[in-house]
Amino acid sequence: DGSGMTVGIWDQGLPLFEHQEFDKRIVPVDSSESSEIRHATLVTGVLAASGAKKKAIGVIPSANAIVHDWSQDRLEAAKMAANGLLISNHSYGIKPDKLPNWYFGNYLPMSEKWDEIMSLAPYYLSVIASGNSQNKNHNEAPLFGSSEDGWDVLLGAALTKNGITVAAAHTEMNFNGILTNAQVAPYSSLGPTD
């Protein structure tokens, strides 16, 4: 349940700290001008919502979360990983609409820098969003699949070798709360890597 655990969360800005699901377990590090950001609040809730509303419970509902905006994300994550941070979440990425085709699926210097952080702090794991570009035809020449089906649109940190890239999913559970069906959401970006 995340008891005694701390997760680092980076996003566009900071979440709504007074939200009923956070129980004062959310600690801001940055003095971001962007606060009470809906996406940051949602991401923080998916991870650390306490379950004040039963259906809103997070994956690690008793964990503490240290939240940041995305400015200087690699530098901040590297410092925290060197001081014992085990896991962080990054639900943001590169805007794909004006990129050349070769950029998609490519292991870029950004990907390599995230891998270096995880290599230097071997117990640290970065979890990165795959993106929301399926069916937008941003890559006109995918190496696999077709652009109409949203293939080959992963970018940047989503292409690390040492991290975990997570797609959005539509799920169904039975009355006992057991997962019975899961499918990649129709907007979630798909691979492969080059």
Side-chain angles (χ1 to χ4, degrees):
D1 71 351
S3 294
M5 186 176 178
T6 299
V7 60
I9 301 173
W10 279 261
D11 209 296
Q12 175 185 0
L14 304 177
L16 174 63
F17 298 109
E18 298 81 23
H19 196 286
Q20 67 185 12
E21 293 292 340
F22 297 152
D23 304 329
K24 301 185 192 292
R25 292 174 295 109
I26 311 305
V27 178
V29 173
D30 297 327
S31 57
S32 177
E33 293 179 14
S34 300
S35 61
E36 300 184 13
I37 299 293
R38 183 182 177 113
H39 188 265
T41 303
L42 172 67
V43 168
T44 304
V46 166
L47 292 169
S50 66
K53 286 194 172 182
K54 192 174 180 180
K55 289 186 176 185
I57 193 164
V59 177
I60 45 177
S62 296
N64 294 311
I66 298 177
V67 295
H68 310 75
D69 63 22
W70 58 35
S71 298
Q72 301 184 22
D73 53 356
R74 286 192 309 266
L75 176 63
E76 292 169 341
K79 285 180 181 178
M80 290 185 67
N83 288 316
L85 181 69
L86 297 178
I87 192 162
S88 66
N89 185 80
H90 307 269
S91 292
Y92 53 90
I94 299 170
K95 191 171 181 181
D97 57 342
K98 294 184 172 113
L99 295 174
N101 292 334
W102 66 266
Y103 217 83
F104 296 93
N106 198 322
Y107 188 70
L108 300 167
M110 172 194 294
S111 315
E112 183 179 9
K113 288 174 183 173
W114 277 108
D115 276 331
E116 286 176 9
I117 294 167
M118 288 180 273
S119 179
L120 292 170
Y123 297 105
Y124 166 67
L125 179 64
S126 181
V127 180
I128 301 135
S130 67
N132 299 324
S133 295
Q134 191 183 145
N135 301 320
K136 292 189 178 174
N137 297 327
H138 290 305
N139 183 354
E140 296 170 0
L143 295 179
F144 178 84
S146 70
S147 59
E148 291 82 22
D149 294 328
W151 290 97
D152 198 10
V153 290
L154 294 179
L155 292 166
L159 294 159
T160 63
K161 298 179 294 175
N162 300 325
I164 294 178
T165 300
V166 177
H170 287 214
T171 61
E172 296 173 18
M173 295 189 176
N174 66 20
F175 64 93
N176 291 325
I178 296 173
L179 183 68
T180 58
N181 188 21
Q183 296 179 355
V184 175
Y187 56 84
S188 194
S189 295
L190 303 171
T193 64
D194 289 353

